[in-house]
Amino acid sequence: MTFSLPTVNNTHEDNGAGDPLFAENIGSPNAVNTKEAGNLPITKDGSQFTITSDNQLAGVSYYFQATPASYDVSSSTKVLLWHNQFNAPNRIQVADLANGGVRFRLYSGTTLFSLAYKDWYIGGNDSPFAECVKGQVPFVMDLNAGNETSSAGTFDNTAVTRYGIMVNSDFVVGTQGNINFQGSNFVLGTSKGDADIPVFTGTSDFVQAVTLVQGTDYTNKIGNWIRQTGSVVYIDMPFQIGDAATATTFNDNGVTVVSPASNNAADPRFQLTDQAMQVHLNLSNSASDTCTMTGTYLWGTRANFNFDQSDASLTSIAGATFRGMGDFTIGSSVSGAANFDNTGAVKLSNSSVNINGSTISNTFASNALHFTGGPMDIANMRFESYAGKHAILIDTVGTYKLTDVFFDQSGTADIETTHTTGTVTIDLAGTTTTPTFTNTGGGTVVLNFPNRILTLNGIVAGSRILVTDTTNTVVLFNEVPSTSPFVGSIASQGTDVDLSIRVRNGAVPYKTFDTTATLTSAGVGINVSQVSDV
Amino acid sequence: MTFVIPTAVDLMTNSVNTHPNARGGFAGVGEGQTSQRGFAKAAGNLPLTDEATNMTSSNDGTLRGFNFGFPTAIDTSTNTKLIVWTYQFNAPNRVQTDTAANRGLVFRLGSGAGSPTTSYRTWNIAGNDKVGASARENPKMIIVDPNDLTYDEDIGTYDNTDLQTFGLGVNNLSITGTGSSNFFPQRIFAFSTVKGATDIPRFTGSSNWGDLITAMGTTFDTKITDEWIKRDGDVFSYAAPFEIGDNVTSTQFNDNGVTVFWPNATTITDADPRVRVTSAAFRAYLNLRDNAADTATFSGLYNCGNSTPAWDFNISNNSVVTFSGATFNNVGNFTVGSSVSGNATFDSCGVVYNNNASLSGSTLKNPNAGHLMRLAA
C-alpha cells in the first residue's frame, strides 16, 4: 500500500547562507533568513526573504544538487515541484502578473555567475498565486519548458544547474514589506522506470497519494501538489503504476483525476512540456499484478500514456474515460471498453490487444486508432467526430477484421493506408459501416464485405425458388430448398442489391409467387405466401 | 454574461467589539469567548483591501469563539439554506489548534434569542489533523446545511425555524512555537436552495461556467471568495446550489463542455470534514422564460458527489434546453420537462423523471434508485 515520491531535493528549512546549495541572491533582498513554521509540515522552518521597498525586484537562487552539478534533460525531461507562500495577508505586496509579481528563474551552466537563464512570470496580485494568501502555493516547472517571459544567454538543457524565485514588490495594501517563504521541493523524472518518478505499488489508489502529500495532521503535510475535492483528485506530477518488481494491485476506484494545463494565461503556475505529465504502466510480469481503471482522466497537456505492457499482468480500463492527453499506447495486458475523447492516437501495440467496445471521439491526432502492432481484429468499436482526420491508420500489410465497427464518417476518410507495397486486406463483418479510404502509400487494399442474408419463410415443400440480382442481372439461387425457411448468404460489395424472387410449385399445384426486395446490410426476410391453384 | 452571487449576509469586516450583530462569546461547558476582540485584521478579508474580524484563542484548553447574528432569522424547516463561509489563519505559526475531535476549529449555529443563544448545534470542521487546520492555507470554506444531522454537538432545543446566530471557535493547542491561534472569519453567505429565490446563485444572459470566476473576482482588490468556486483549466469545483435563468431575463447558457463537480458531504471522521450537507444543499434548477430565445446547452461532465441532490430541469415551455453528450454523475432524482431534448449519460443518478423530454440516444446506468427512469403518465 504505497505511493512513493523520490527524496526531497531541498527542504528549504535553512536560511540562505546556511544552505549548502544556496547560490546567490537575485537583486538585493533586504533580509534572507528563516520563518518559524513557514514550511510544510508547519513543524519546519521555511527559508525566507524580505523586501522592504516598493517596486523592488529581488529573490534567491539555489543549486539543484552538489554532485553531479547539473541535470541533462535533453532527451528526457524532469519537473521541479516547489511551493512558496507569503506571510500574513498584508505581506503579499506584489505587482500584477503582467509586471511579474512572482517570477521563477532557471539557470544553465556550471559557473556561479552564468548569465544563461530563463524567467517565467508565474504569479501576481491578479492571479491565484498572490490575489490573497493561499498558504503554500504549488507550482511545477518543466526543466525543458518554453514560453519563458524572458531569457539571457544561451540556455543549455544538457546542464541545468540552479533555480530561483523572485518577487517584484508593489505595496498594494498598506505600507509593510513583502515576506516570502520557500518550502521544500522535489525534482521528478518523467520516463518509465526513472528512479525519481512517483510510483504506485502494493495495494494502492489515488487517495493514498492525496494522503502522502496532504498528510494526516500538521506533522506530515508536505505540500499541495496532490489535492482532493469530493471524488476528484488533482495530481500535478507524472506517475507510474508499478515498478516492475514490487507486487502491485492498483485500483482508481472510479475517481476523476485532473492533471494541469501548461502556461494558463490567468494562472501560469505550471510550465510544462508534453513530456512532463506522462503516465506509465510498469507492472511485474505476474497475473497477480493488476491495475483497474474505471475513473475519468482529464489531462491538460498532451502527455503520453504508456500502457504498452504485454505480459501476464492484468490491466482493465473497462468503463474508464480518458480525455485530453497525448498518444495512448496499449499492450495486450490491457483490456476493456473505454472512452477516449480528444486524445492523441490510440496505439495498439500488438495483435492480441483487446479494447473492443471502446469509443474514440474528437481525436487530436491525425488518426484516432493506429495498429502499430500490425494486423489484428477489432469489434464493437465506435469512431466519432474526426473531422479533417481519419479514424484508423494502417501501415502494415496483412489482414484486418472489423466486426460491428461504427464510423460516423465525419472525417476526411475513415481509414488511411500508408503501406507502399503488398496488400492490406480488410474483412468487414457484422454491422460494420462501409468505410471510406485514403490510400496514401499506394499499396494494394482489398476490402471484403460481409455476405448479406436473404430469408424466405413459409415455402411449401417441393417448391422451386428463383432469386435474381436485378441490379447486376445475376441469378443467385435456382433450386428446390430442402427445408423452410430458406436462408441464403449472398456475397456483397457493400452496396444494396435489388432482388427478384419467384417461388413455383406445379406439382400440387400452387400459383406462382412473385415479389421484389432490396437486400441491405441488415438482410431481408420475405414471407412467401403461396396460394393454391386448384 | 452574468453569474450573480447573492449578497453576503455579513462581510465580517468589523472587530468583534464593534460588530453590529455581535451575539456573545461561546459560553458552554469548557468554553469562553475569543481572547482579543478590539481590532480587525488589516488585509485579513476578501478582497484583500478589507479588514477582517480578528479572533484569537488563548492556550488554556478552552474552546474560545464568538457568535454573530444573521440580519434576519432563518427558517430552514421547509427548504434548507446553505451557509457558505471562509476563514483563514494568520501566519503559519498562528494555526495552533487542537485536533478536530478535541474541537480544534468549530462552526456553530444558534437558534432563538439570547446572546449567546442557549440552543445550538456545533460542527467540528477542522483541527490540526484535518485539512482545514493542518497548515496555513488559502481561505478555507465552511459549507454547512443547517439541517445536516452529522453535527458533533446539540445543546438545548435547536429550532430550525428560528436560526439567529453563527459562530466560529478554536480550541488552541500550541503545536508550532509559542504563538496563540489567530484567524479571521471572512464574508459569509446563506444561499437559498429554492427555485426562483432571490438568494440562489444564478446564471442569466449569455453565460457559462467561466462567469463564476468573473463573479468571484480575480485580483487582490476584487476577489470576494475562494475555494468554493475554483477553476483549474476546464475543470470547475463548486459548492453551492445554482439556477439557470430567472424567468424574466433573456438567458442563453452554454457549459461549453467543461467539467463541474461538487464536494462530498463529510463527517468528522473524514480527512476534511468541512462540508456538512444534506441532499438538499447542491440543488440545481432551470428557470428559463417561455421563449424560444432562452436556451441552455449541456455538453459537459457534472459530478455532484455523494450528497446526490435532486436537480430540477422540469421545464416545459418554448425555451430550448439541449443535452449534447453531457454526462451527469451522482445527481439525485433528475426531473426533465419537454423543453429538454438530446442525448446525455445519467450515471449513478436517482430516477430520471421524464415529463415528455426527448432523450433519444441517452444512456442511463448504475442507478442509485430502484429504477432508472419514470415516464410521465
Side-chain angles (χ1 to χ4, degrees):
Chain A
M1 178 170 138
T2 308
F3 175 70
S4 302
L5 282 167
T7 303
V8 65
N9 179 70
N10 190 328
T11 63
H12 283 292
E13 295 171 16
D14 301 305
N15 67 33
D19 187 332
L21 294 177
F22 181 76
E24 62 175 345
N25 291 332
I26 304 172
S28 300
N30 300 89
V32 178
N33 43 36
T34 58
K35 170 66 181 182
E36 180 186 56
N39 215 317
L40 287 177
I42 58 173
T43 50
K44 304 292 186 184
D45 292 348
S47 55
Q48 169 181 279
F49 67 85
T50 302
I51 295 173
T52 60
S53 299
D54 204 357
N55 302 311
Q56 180 183 355
L57 177 63
V60 289
S61 68
Y62 294 83
Y63 288 106
F64 280 107
Q65 50 189 340
T67 57
S70 65
Y71 288 124
D72 178 353
V73 293
S74 57
S75 59
S76 178
T77 201
K78 291 181 180 292
V79 293
L80 171 70
L81 310 185
W82 203 8
H83 53 67
N84 186 280
Q85 70 176 317
F86 297 100
N87 195 17
N90 55 340
R91 294 296 199 147
I92 297 177
Q93 312 288 26
V94 302
D96 61 16
L97 182 60
N99 287 298
V102 184
R103 308 180 187 187
F104 176 81
R105 178 170 289 183
L106 190 65
Y107 297 82
S108 69
T110 54
T111 59
L112 178 60
F113 299 106
S114 163
L115 289 180
Y117 60 79
K118 297 178 180 180
D119 284 348
W120 289 264
Y121 291 1
I122 59 172
N125 64 43
D126 54 352
S127 81
F129 207 126
E131 63 198 1
C132 65
V133 164
K134 292 297 183 76
Q136 290 284 18
V137 180
F139 56 99
V140 179
M141 308 300 299
D142 185 324
L143 303 194
N144 272 318
N147 297 313
E148 62 271 19
T149 313
S150 62
S151 63
T154 302
F155 187 84
D156 177 6
N157 71 353
T158 68
V160 182
T161 48
R162 60 187 167 113
Y163 59 96
I165 186 81
M166 295 176 284
V167 163
N168 183 20
S169 65
D170 185 354
F171 289 1
V172 293
V173 283
T175 57
Q176 297 205 60
N178 173 292
I179 300 178
N180 181 280
F181 325 140
Q182 300 82 54
S184 58
N185 61 24
F186 294 87
V187 177
L188 306 180
T190 61
S191 295
K192 180 177 180 178
D194 277 353
D196 49 2
I197 189 172
V199 179
F200 291 93
T201 54
T203 301
S204 48
D205 56 40
F206 284 112
V207 175
Q208 290 168 15
V210 174
T211 302
L212 177 73
V213 172
Q214 293 291 333
T216 55
D217 64 28
Y218 71 100
T219 65
N220 56 16
K221 177 184 171 72
I222 63 171
N224 288 313
W225 304 286
I226 303 178
R227 311 168 296 282
Q228 182 175 13
T229 300
S231 60
V232 178
V233 173
Y234 294 95
I235 183 163
D236 301 340
M237 60 184 73
F239 61 89
Q240 178 176 285
I241 298 170
D243 61 4
T246 309
T248 297
T249 306
F250 177 85
N251 192 326
D252 70 11
N253 296 317
V255 301
T256 297
V257 185
V258 180
S259 179
S262 177
N263 195 35
N264 182 302
D267 184 14
R269 290 178 297 124
F270 302 96
Q271 296 291 339
L272 311 170
T273 68
D274 286 346
Q275 286 190 344
M277 297 300 172
Q278 294 177 90
V279 177
H280 306 279
L281 191 64
N282 197 14
L283 300 173
S284 299
N285 181 14
S286 165
S288 62
D289 264 32
T290 64
C291 170
T292 304
M293 293 180 153
T294 56
T296 300
Y297 294 77
L298 306 174
W299 247 239
T301 59
R302 296 289 178 190
N304 292 340
F305 273 45
N306 177 9
F307 280 29
D308 188 10
Q309 181 146 13
S310 299
D311 56 21
S313 66
L314 297 170
T315 293
S316 172
I317 56 173
T321 295
F322 302 97
R323 182 180 293 170
M325 55 284 293
D327 290 344
F328 203 120
T329 305
I330 300 174
S332 58
S333 294
V334 181
S335 65
N339 298 304
F340 301 89
D341 181 24
N342 188 25
T343 68
V346 176
K347 297 181 176 181
L348 308 185
S349 69
N350 64 65
S351 60
S352 298
V353 178
N354 180 355
I355 59 166
N356 290 339
S358 293
T359 297
I360 307 177
S361 53
N362 302 299
T363 186
F364 175 75
S366 55
N367 297 277
L369 181 72
H370 184 185
F371 295 117
T372 56
M376 64 177 294
D377 302 337
I378 61 172
N380 298 308
M381 294 185 68
R382 294 180 65 87
F383 297 88
E384 301 174 351
S385 302
Y386 44 99
K389 299 166 183 174
H390 310 111
I392 294 177
L393 170 63
I394 294 175
D395 58 8
T396 305
V397 297
T399 300
Y400 301 77
K401 185 176 183 182
L402 279 55
T403 303
D404 298 331
V405 172
F406 173 76
F407 301 99
D408 76 357
Q409 309 214 293
S410 57
T412 305
D414 299 324
I415 298 176
E416 179 185 21
T417 54
T418 59
H419 63 297
T420 56
T421 60
T423 301
V424 165
T425 301
I426 300 174
D427 293 336
L428 305 180
T431 60
T432 295
T433 313
T434 301
T436 56
F437 281 85
T438 295
N439 187 348
T440 308
T444 302
V445 177
V446 174
L447 194 61
N448 294 322
F449 293 92
N451 282 5
R452 297 186 174 188
I453 304 302
L454 167 67
T455 305
L456 300 178
N457 300 302
I459 303 173
V460 173
S463 301
R464 174 172 291 276
I465 64 170
L466 176 63
V467 179
T468 304
D469 171 351
T470 57
T471 304
N472 300 297
T473 320
V474 174
V475 174
L476 300 171
F477 303 103
N478 184 359
E479 61 188 79
V480 177
S482 58
T483 60
S484 178
F486 168 80
V487 179
S489 182
I490 300 169
S492 163
Q493 294 304 310
T495 55
D496 294 346
V497 174
D498 292 331
L499 301 177
S500 167
I501 301 160
R502 168 169 291 184
V503 182
R504 304 178 67 180
N505 188 330
V508 176
Y510 284 89
K511 293 180 179 176
T512 299
F513 173 81
D514 279 311
T515 191
T516 59
T518 300
L519 183 60
T520 68
S521 60
V524 65
I526 304 294
N527 292 322
V528 175
S529 178
Q530 292 171 269
V531 177
S532 176
D533 189 19
V534 178
Chain B
M1 178 171 137
T2 306
F3 177 75
V4 173
I5 300 172
T7 305
V9 296
D10 200 315
L11 295 177
M12 303 299 292
T13 53
N14 301 95
S15 72
V16 172
N17 284 347
T18 61
H19 195 287
N21 293 319
R23 290 288 294 268
F26 282 17
V29 175
E31 298 181 357
Q33 60 180 335
T34 296
S35 303
Q36 294 184 27
R37 296 180 294 278
F39 70 96
K41 173 66 184 182
N45 215 318
L46 293 175
L48 209 59
T49 45
D50 285 346
E51 294 183 340
T53 305
N54 186 81
M55 299 176 73
T56 60
S57 184
S58 303
N59 185 27
D60 56 6
T62 298
L63 173 63
R64 293 189 173 277
F66 212 88
N67 301 294
F68 306 91
F70 289 112
T72 57
I74 291 174
D75 179 355
T76 62
S77 59
T78 303
N79 292 296
T80 200
K81 285 183 177 285
L82 188 65
I83 307 301
V84 177
W85 206 359
T86 56
Y87 68 91
Q88 183 161 47
F89 289 97
N90 193 21
N93 55 341
R94 305 304 291 273
V95 179
Q96 313 288 19
T97 74
D98 208 330
T99 62
N102 288 330
R103 308 199 290 181
L105 177 59
V106 305
F107 170 76
R108 178 169 291 176
L109 282 175
S111 65
S115 296
T117 66
T118 55
S119 294
Y120 52 83
R121 285 178 177 166
T122 307
W123 289 261
N124 297 8
I125 49 99
N128 67 44
D129 56 343
K130 304 293 182 184
V131 171
S134 60
R136 196 276 297 271
E137 294 281 358
N138 60 312
K140 304 302 284 183
M141 66 182 184
I142 302 169
I143 308 291
V144 175
D145 177 339
N147 291 336
D148 172 70
L149 298 179
T150 71
Y151 49 79
D152 300 296
E153 182 183 46
D154 186 19
I155 300 295
T157 303
Y158 181 83
D159 177 6
N160 70 355
T161 69
D162 185 28
L163 297 173
Q164 296 198 18
T165 68
F166 57 93
L168 278 177
V170 160
N171 186 11
N172 188 105
L173 178 66
S174 293
I175 55 177
T176 52
T178 57
S180 58
S181 171
N182 181 203
F183 73 107
F184 331 125
Q186 298 162 338
R187 71 175 61 198
I188 180 171
F189 300 90
F191 295 138
S192 174
T193 60
V194 178
K195 179 177 181 177
T198 57
D199 50 0
I200 187 170
R202 179 179 287 115
F203 294 93
T204 56
S206 177
S207 48
N208 58 58
W209 285 99
D211 295 335
L212 268 71
I213 305 304
T214 304
M216 178 179 67
T218 57
T219 61
F220 74 97
D221 53 351
T222 61
K223 184 181 176 62
I224 63 169
T225 190
D226 197 67
E227 196 180 34
W228 61 272
I229 298 174
K230 287 189 82 69
R231 178 178 190 166
D232 288 82
D234 287 336
V235 180
F236 291 77
S237 59
Y238 182 63
F242 73 98
E243 179 172 272
I244 298 171
D246 60 3
N247 202 26
V248 174
T249 310
S250 175
T251 298
Q252 295 79 38
F253 174 84
N254 191 327
D255 71 12
N256 296 320
V258 302
T259 297
V260 187
F261 64 89
W262 282 255
N264 283 335
T266 56
T267 73
I268 192 173
T269 61
D270 288 298
D272 187 5
R274 291 176 295 135
V275 180
R276 311 295 276 272
V277 296
T278 71
S279 61
F282 298 145
R283 300 203 64 185
Y285 301 96
L286 281 185
N287 197 11
L288 301 174
R289 297 177 305 161
D290 182 12
N291 187 322
D294 269 27
T295 61
T297 303
F298 299 86
S299 56
L301 171 63
Y302 296 81
N303 189 330
C304 287
N306 65 4
S307 71
T308 59
W311 279 21
D312 179 355
F313 284 19
N314 188 22
I315 188 164
S316 299
N317 58 18
N318 284 311
S319 64
V320 179
V321 181
T322 304
F323 289 166
S324 181
T327 298
F328 301 99
N329 291 329
N330 297 312
V331 179
N333 291 340
F334 199 138
T335 308
V336 290
S338 64
S339 293
V340 180
S341 66
N343 69 92
T345 297
F346 301 88
D347 186 0
S348 303
C349 295
V351 179
V352 175
Y353 287 92
N354 187 347
N355 292 328
N356 300 310
S358 174
L359 301 179
S360 298
S362 293
T363 300
L364 291 81
K365 58 185 179 181
N366 305 314
N368 56 31
H371 47 279
L372 287 161
M373 179 178 281
R374 180 173 178 173
L375 301 176

